[in-house]
């Protein structure tokens, strides 16, 4: 690898405020905001809107679609073309 052309790769905290969840990882992103982690050190914190702790696919809280209603709407919309 060439020196001086790659971004800095540092430890940061990603925080999902909706789920009250945070995790420590390494990233090239940075932030002016900081947070004190459980190890007593201060790290830059990046707030995200959705994470594995709040995403419906990972939490199992997915919405159930009304398929019968959707089929009835489709049939009503295209019934005039069936003749």
């Amino acid at each position: 690898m060439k020196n001086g052309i790659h971004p800095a790769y540092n430890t940061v905290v990603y925080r999902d405020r909706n789920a009250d969840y945070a995790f420590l990882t390494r990233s090239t992103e940075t932030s002016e905001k900081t947070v004190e982690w459980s190890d007593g050190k201060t790290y830059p914190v990046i707030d995200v809107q959705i994470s594995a702790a709040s995403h419906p696919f990972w939490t199992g809280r997915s919405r159930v679609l009304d398929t019968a209603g959707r089929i009835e709407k489709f049939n009503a919309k295209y019934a005039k073309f069936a003749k």
Side-chain angles (χ1 to χ4, degrees):
M1 292 194 324
K2 290 185 178 180
N3 290 331
I5 64 168
H6 301 285
Y9 191 63
N10 298 315
T11 307
V12 296
V13 174
Y14 281 93
R15 178 174 55 189
D16 182 357
R17 289 185 175 237
N18 294 329
D20 194 31
Y21 176 72
F23 60 94
L24 184 67
T25 188
R26 294 181 50 90
S27 175
T28 58
E29 281 195 77
T30 187
S31 175
E32 297 294 323
K33 294 187 277 183
T34 60
V35 66
E36 186 173 332
W37 195 244
S38 59
D39 62 1
K41 295 181 182 177
T42 303
Y43 299 104
V45 63
I46 299 169
D47 291 322
V48 294
Q49 292 182 2
I50 196 161
S51 69
S54 62
H55 194 281
F57 179 79
W58 298 108
T59 60
R61 292 180 285 153
S62 61
R63 294 179 286 170
V64 177
L65 296 176
D66 180 21
T67 55
R70 293 175 64 191
I71 294 169
E72 291 168 2
K73 287 180 188 177
F74 177 83
N75 289 334
K77 183 176 181 180
Y78 292 102
K80 60 185 172 188
F81 297 113
K83 294 180 183 181

